[in-house]
Amino acid sequence: MKTTPFTDVHIALGAKMHEFAGFNMPIEYSGIIDEHMTVVNGVGVFDVSHMGEFWVKGPKALEFIQSVTSNDASILPIGKAQYTCFPNEKGGIVDDLLVYHYEPEKYLLVVNAGNIDKDWEWCVSHNTVGAELENSSDRTAQLAIQGPKALEVLQRLTPVDLSAIPYYAFTTGEFAGCKNVIISNTGYTGAGGFELYFYPQDAMTIWNAIFEAGKPEGIKPIGLGARDTLRLEMGFCLYGNDLDDTTSPIEAGLGWITKFVDGKNFTNRAELERQKKEGVARKLCAFELQEKGIPRHGYPVVDAEGNEIGVVTSGTMSPVLKKGIGMGYVRTDCSKVGSEIYIQVRNKKLKAVVVKAPFRK
């Protein structure tokens, strides 16, 4: 298994470790519910160094990004980030990712850990315009410091005015005495906070400084288990569960990152444009259980008569709502907010209602 610069620390802290996307990663420390509530109410730190980072540089950088991603990167100013996806030729999604406009003719793509090799091959094979590509995944470490108290903790460690960085914006500056740290107001928890990108040799300096600075706020390390429950309460998609090579961005409710602007001829544009115009047979929806139970990935979704109408892609017991919540693809006519659906759990049908995400307001 691959490691991150923090793997030995996780083990020393007694984290429950498990393989994730080929990396030895911490799943939980003090328990998923405790860690989840720490982030919702205070501040927690996630090791996300397993994520992938590709640089796209040169005069053809924007043209390349416009050709392989669904969103319109031409409107992205320097210092801003954008959520987007790589559509494939069959109407599905290669991966969802963030695009950072770092400098003129220089962009950073941040991709999912489990898709680094696949995404890199995709970018290289679709680079017909001659953009300069660099896979920097092994030379980049990343921490996500998330929660309502993240800003005040991190502000003690940098001269950069963090309150001046809007949501989905970033800057590069000094942090904990380390130079050239990308400080990004992004995250996957819905609880606020920042993501830091830095060189692996600065990893322990930054880790130790953050945990020292956050002592008054009760800062804690957080594992991937709580990362999943936090993102699900916000209705954020997880690649491999809610998105994959067979799910289209239109089905997944990602029409807002699929831009059919003049001059942007991205992969499979015509098919996605057709789907947006004519509609799709199934849609990703959020639901809450009305009965006791926990929906799980792969459970069938049925109607009142027991006819299968879809499948659960993500599900959990919400630590905040204290009820079963989930997302799944269901037949479009059953996907409207307020619709009653049923989750098949072994030989029982549990009633659920379609709701508008996020679950945690």
Side-chain angles (χ1 to χ4, degrees), residues 80-327:
K80 285 289 183 80
Q82 183 183 73
Y83 180 57
T84 187
C85 75
F86 294 133
N88 66 23
E89 277 99 353
K90 301 172 193 158
I93 297 171
V94 178
D95 200 5
D96 62 331
L97 67 148
L98 291 183
V99 176
Y100 289 80
H101 194 175
Y102 190 75
E103 288 171 359
E105 301 185 354
K106 188 174 183 181
Y107 295 81
L108 177 66
L109 311 185
V110 181
V111 304
N112 284 301
N115 290 337
I116 293 172
D117 293 341
K118 178 177 84 162
D119 290 355
W120 179 248
E121 286 168 16
W122 183 264
C123 287
V124 169
S125 64
H126 286 74
N127 182 16
T128 55
V129 297
E132 188 185 333
L133 303 180
E134 179 193 338
N135 186 349
S136 188
S137 304
D138 293 338
R139 298 185 297 282
T140 308
Q142 188 189 351
L143 290 175
I145 302 87
Q146 298 282 295
K149 296 179 180 174
L151 189 147
E152 59 185 297
V153 170
L154 298 183
Q155 192 61 76
R156 295 168 191 152
L157 300 170
T158 179
V160 174
D161 180 5
L162 299 181
S163 64
I165 305 174
Y167 190 48
Y168 265 69
F170 69 97
T171 191
T172 303
E174 186 179 313
F175 185 90
C178 302
K179 307 274 194 241
N180 299 317
V181 177
I182 296 174
I183 305 169
S184 174
N185 184 349
T186 45
Y188 195 46
T189 65
F194 294 82
E195 295 180 303
L196 308 178
Y197 300 83
F198 44 89
Y199 295 113
Q201 57 265 33
D202 293 331
M204 287 317 303
T205 300
I206 289 174
W207 175 278
N208 291 332
I210 290 170
F211 277 91
E212 187 60 37
K215 273 182 182 172
E217 285 74 24
I219 198 167
K220 291 181 182 178
I222 312 293
L224 293 180
R227 184 169 160 86
D228 192 48
T229 55
L230 286 157
R231 70 90 193 167
L232 185 47
E233 281 187 347
M234 292 308 295
F236 295 154
C237 293
L238 174 65
Y239 195 89
N241 281 42
D242 317 298
L243 308 173
D244 61 33
D245 290 301
T246 69
T247 58
S248 98
I250 308 303
E251 293 175 333
L254 298 179
W256 62 279
I257 65 162
T258 311
K259 302 291 172 60
F260 306 108
V261 295
D262 288 345
K264 179 175 167 62
N265 297 311
F266 60 90
T267 309
N268 212 22
R269 170 176 169 155
E271 168 58 18
L272 295 178
E273 211 163 359
R274 184 195 66 76
Q275 287 183 17
K276 194 158 191 177
K277 191 175 166 186
E278 297 177 10
V280 287
R282 61 174 189 167
K283 281 191 175 171
L284 185 66
C285 67
F287 62 83
E288 290 180 0
L289 284 188
Q290 305 298 292
E291 303 178 59
K292 205 170 177 183
I294 303 176
R296 301 286 187 199
H297 174 79
Y299 283 4
V301 181
V302 298
D303 63 15
E305 286 74 47
N307 303 305
E308 199 161 320
I309 56 167
V311 65
V312 175
T313 54
S314 288
T316 194
M317 175 63 69
S318 163
V320 169
L321 283 85
K322 296 183 170 50
K323 63 169 80 166
I325 61 169
M327 297 196 294

